[in-house]
Amino acid sequence: YGNTEGEYGSIVVLEGDNCSKYMAGIVGVTMGKKNGDVAPYVDLGTNIKADLSSCTQISYDYKGAAHRFIVTMMGDDDGKMTGYNNHRKAVPVSYTWTTETVQWTELVQEPYWGTTAALDKTIINAFRWEISGEGIVTPNYLYVDNVRCVGYEKQTASSSSVESSSSSNVVSSSSEV
C-alpha cells in the first residue's frame, strides 16, 4: 500500500474529505500473489480499551474497497483462541461515503478452519478493516471515519491507537483518534 511513512511507521490518520477534520485510511493498495493458502492482505485497525457489553451494535462510515470488518478478542493476538479465524463481516465496495451498521450476530467465524470460540463483548481489544485478495484492488483505498459503539454506557476509556498491518510487514502509527 502507498501510505506515507512517518517516524513511527505508516501514517494512517489523514485529512478528512467528508466534513471530518481527520479520518483513518489506507491508500495505493495493490496485492501480490498468494503465499500457500494465505491470500495477501492489508488492514487498518484500532485498539479498544473498554468493556463493550453495553454496546448493541457498531457503526462506522467508510468509502473504498470491499473489506471485512473484524473484531479481535483479548488474548487472541497470537491466534491461541481462534487460530486467527476472528469474528468478521464482509462489507461491499462503496465509491461514496456509506454508513455500515454491524450487529454483533453478524460477526461470524469462517467455517472449516481455525478454532471455534464464542464472541465475548467484554474482552474485545481491536476493530480491524481488512482488504484481501490477489492483484488489482478497485478502488485502491479504504477510508474509515466516525466509528461508533451504539449503546455504549461507559465514556471513560482512553483514546485508541491506530495501526496498519499487512501480510508482509507490520507498521504502526503513534497518532491517536
Side-chain angles (χ1 to χ4, degrees):
Y1 58 99
N3 285 55
T4 303
E5 292 294 315
E7 181 178 354
Y8 301 104
S10 291
I11 297 172
V12 296
V13 177
L14 310 170
E15 286 188 35
D17 74 346
N18 61 339
C19 300
S20 287
K21 187 171 182 179
Y22 299 106
M23 63 186 178
I26 45 181
V27 297
V29 177
T30 57
M31 298 294 183
K33 300 262 186 221
K34 260 186 172 178
N35 182 5
D37 290 338
V38 180
Y41 72 89
V42 62
D43 71 11
L44 178 71
T46 185
N47 296 330
I48 307 295
K49 297 180 182 177
D51 174 347
L52 300 182
S53 58
S54 63
C55 178
T56 58
Q57 61 188 15
I58 302 152
S59 66
Y60 61 93
D61 299 335
Y62 78 98
K63 180 170 81 168
H67 60 281
R68 293 185 289 190
F69 175 75
I70 300 172
V71 297
T72 305
M73 294 184 284
M74 252 182 277
D76 198 31
D77 293 329
D78 58 5
K80 287 184 180 174
M81 291 175 77
T82 66
Y84 298 105
N85 188 7
N86 303 107
H87 296 79
R88 60 195 73 213
K89 176 187 178 183
V91 181
V93 65
S94 178
Y95 291 92
T96 61
W97 281 101
T98 302
T99 299
E100 180 66 26
T101 301
V102 179
Q103 305 297 330
W104 289 99
T105 55
E106 294 177 299
L107 294 166
V108 296
Q109 292 179 284
E110 293 178 341
Y112 312 116
W113 72 278
T115 304
T116 301
L119 181 59
D120 184 347
K121 294 193 297 185
T122 66
I123 60 169
I124 303 299
N125 74 340
F127 291 160
R128 295 189 351 250
W129 294 265
E130 179 185 272
I131 302 169
S132 66
E134 292 182 86
I136 297 171
V137 175
T138 305
N140 68 347
Y141 58 86
L142 177 63
Y143 302 128
V144 176
D145 200 4
N146 300 318
V147 179
R148 299 169 296 284
C149 204
V150 178
Y152 180 62
E153 294 176 4
K154 296 179 185 179
Q155 299 300 321
T156 58
S158 61
S159 297
S160 302
S161 65
V162 176
E163 64 181 41
S164 175
S165 65
S166 73
S167 55
S168 59
N169 63 357
V170 176
V171 293
S172 64
S173 170
S174 63
S175 302
E176 293 188 352
V177 273

